[in-house]
Amino acid sequence: MTAPRVLQIGMDPEVIDFSPWPGQNAAALRARIGEAEAALRGAGVDVTVCLLPDDVDFAESTVREFFTAGPFDVVEIGSGLRTSHEYTLVFERVVNTVAALQPGAPFCFNDSPETTLDAVRRGLDLRT
């Protein structure tokens, strides 16, 4: 049986302004993303992590590049990309790009890197 392919999309920790979250920084977020990736792999998921720049056009081309290897069973979009007002245009472009490249692709959404595995499991349940 082939492992389900999941594309995990989020903002690159290097572009995030952590000033609203004292004690958080790019290194800590990268570690948390890495732990989420390891949990997915441990659950038998073939995960690809796509970290985006804050430039809308570059973010779109980055997402397009990941789809050259074929379709994904689920696309997970991180909470930082979805909930941060400064990334609204990036989020919008990402969703529209994924929808154009793979119509009908199930999306799932986490609350934090720690809830990624649960989100992906929900997304995989949506497949038809």
Side-chain angles (χ1 to χ4, degrees):
M1 176 177 228
T2 305
R5 292 189 72 226
V6 173
L7 181 62
Q8 184 181 8
I9 302 175
M11 295 306 297
D12 186 328
E14 298 305 319
V15 302
I16 296 173
D17 173 11
F18 288 96
S19 61
W21 305 283
Q24 292 293 315
N25 59 51
L29 180 55
R30 273 196 192 282
R32 293 169 64 209
I33 292 168
E35 290 168 7
E37 180 182 359
L40 288 167
R41 291 193 192 287
V45 174
D46 177 8
V47 61
T48 301
V49 177
C50 172
L51 298 177
L52 300 176
D54 53 4
D55 176 272
V56 175
D57 293 328
F58 191 34
E60 178 183 346
S61 65
T62 300
V63 169
R64 286 184 177 281
E65 177 80 22
F66 280 95
F67 276 88
T68 61
F72 292 92
D73 295 298
V74 172
V75 176
E76 185 271 326
I77 300 180
S79 62
L81 174 55
R82 293 188 333 275
T83 63
S84 297
H85 297 292
E86 64 265 30
Y87 304 129
T88 298
L89 296 178
V90 174
F91 174 61
E92 183 177 90
R93 183 81 65 92
V94 165
V95 169
N96 287 322
T97 299
V98 171
L101 293 172
Q102 188 178 326
F107 287 94
C108 64
F109 308 101
N110 68 6
D111 295 347
S112 68
E114 292 76 20
T115 64
T116 300
L117 179 57
D118 288 337
V120 167
R121 285 181 173 147
R122 288 191 312 271
L124 290 172
D125 286 344
L126 295 174
R127 295 182 299 173
T128 56

